[in-house]
Amino acid sequence: QVQLVESGGGLVQAGGSLRVSCAASARAFSNYAMGWFRQAPGKEREFVAAISRNGITTYYTDSVKGRFTISKDNFKNTVYLQMNSLKPEDTALYYCAAGGSALQLSSSKYEFWGQGTQVTVSS
């Protein structure tokens, strides 16, 4: 069982930056690939970014490429999402998720989920 707790969300103006974090309880955190997803009001949950279990390989949805960076610290059992040049359309509840050993893009491949942290970008 893996427990995930997100933090770091908040209100920011367009063009600003935020870093959200996800702390994991797993003893074998280094064995898990991790992902970030988001869900805006009235919309389905969508993939944002994913990182391999060793933190070397990353993947991003097109709309955040060049603006967001996912990273993983296996010593701190934490995954981060650095968000720069934020836009109002980035407003959503951001979730982290833990999957298997391989990097995954589909939410159905992730077994454990956090409760989410709200990110609101004002125009």
Side-chain angles (χ1 to χ4, degrees):
Q1 188 74 14
V2 178
Q3 292 184 327
L4 303 172
V5 179
E6 300 96 335
S7 62
L11 174 65
V12 64
Q13 289 187 336
S17 298
L18 272 179
R19 187 179 78 161
V20 291
S21 304
C22 174
S25 66
R27 291 183 178 180
F29 180 71
S30 60
N31 288 342
Y32 290 92
M34 300 294 294
W36 283 98
F37 293 78
R38 65 187 180 187
Q39 187 167 18
K43 295 187 177 181
E44 294 187 354
R45 187 175 299 185
E46 66 171 351
F47 168 80
V48 177
I51 192 166
S52 59
R53 57 181 176 169
N54 61 8
I56 293 177
T57 304
T58 59
Y59 193 85
Y60 301 89
T61 192
D62 286 346
S63 63
V64 308
K65 283 181 181 176
R67 301 189 298 122
F68 290 13
T69 302
I70 187 172
S71 60
K72 188 173 188 270
D73 188 331
N74 286 331
F75 293 102
K76 294 184 178 180
N77 280 18
T78 302
V79 62
Y80 305 96
L81 185 67
Q82 176 68 44
M83 303 181 288
N84 300 328
S85 302
L86 282 160
K87 303 175 181 180
E89 51 263 44
D90 295 318
T91 295
L93 189 61
Y94 281 72
Y95 298 90
C96 72
S101 58
L103 188 153
Q104 302 287 352
L105 307 186
S106 171
S107 60
S108 64
K109 301 295 186 181
Y110 287 86
E111 184 175 0
F112 304 104
W113 292 82
Q115 295 297 311
T117 185
Q118 179 66 39
V119 172
T120 303
V121 185
S122 63
S123 57

